């Protein structure tokens, strides 16, 4: 049996994959009687969480700036079905990747690794 959420939840809209995954794996979050703010704005979700009146379910990478500055605390989901977040760049597979595509991919990789490294340097994940 799951415990009730102590604070209202700020959740992404059903249009986003993270929301659909949460509903599939943790449907109890969405039962009637739970106070929930549902939005497609990540900024609003993070703002509500920063207020201290809401909890938010989002990825570590989505909240990286607020986590680095200490405005939010990240509690990882420890679940057999929980998979790490991935980031993808879509390219035309019929053509070789362009120079700018390689630069964007490498810059994105470097920035993500740096942000996650900074986040995780002080805690066990």
């Amino acid at each position: 049996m799951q415990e009730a959420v102590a604070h209202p939840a700020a959740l992404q809209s059903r249009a986003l994959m993270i929301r659909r995954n949460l509903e599939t794996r943790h449907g109890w979050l969405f039962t009637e009687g739970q106070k929930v703010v549902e939005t497609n704005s990540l900024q609003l979700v993070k703002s509500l969480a920063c207020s201290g009146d809401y909890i938010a379910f989002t990825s570590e990478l989505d909240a990286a700036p607020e986590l680095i500055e200490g405005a939010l605390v990240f509690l990882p989901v420890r679940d057999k079905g929980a998979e790490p977040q991935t980031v993808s760049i879509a390219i035309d597979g019929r053509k070789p990747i362009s120079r700018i595509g390689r630069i964007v991919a490498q810059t994105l990789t470097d920035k993500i690794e740096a942000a996650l490294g900074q986040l995780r340097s002080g805690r066990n994940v």
Side-chain angles (χ1 to χ4, degrees), residues 18-76:
I18 189 172
R19 171 62 184 272
R20 292 191 301 266
N21 286 340
L22 283 170
E23 283 184 340
T24 299
R25 292 185 175 98
H26 307 287
W28 60 270
L29 289 169
F30 307 97
T31 59
E32 286 189 37
Q34 298 285 358
K35 295 180 181 177
V36 175
V37 172
E38 189 175 320
T39 179
N40 64 356
S41 169
L42 178 58
Q43 289 306 111
L44 179 57
V45 168
K46 294 189 300 183
S47 177
L48 290 170
C50 286
S51 76
D53 295 326
Y54 291 81
I55 60 170
F57 295 89
T58 193
S59 75
E60 183 179 27
L61 190 54
D62 286 344
E66 293 79 8
L67 294 167
I68 290 169
E69 70 185 26
L72 291 176
V73 175
F74 182 73
L75 302 173

Side-chain angles (χ1 to χ4, degrees), residues 89-92 96-109:
I89 298 175
I91 60 168
D92 185 343
I97 189 168
S98 67
R99 181 174 182 273
I100 190 67
R102 284 191 305 277
I103 292 169
V104 168
Q106 188 59 56
T107 301
L108 182 60
T109 299

Side-chain angles (χ1 to χ4, degrees), residues 82-99:
E83 297 179 20
Q85 180 181 12
T86 61
V87 178
S88 302
I89 298 175
I91 60 168
D92 185 343
R94 298 170 293 184
K95 300 177 184 174
I97 189 168
S98 67
R99 181 174 182 273

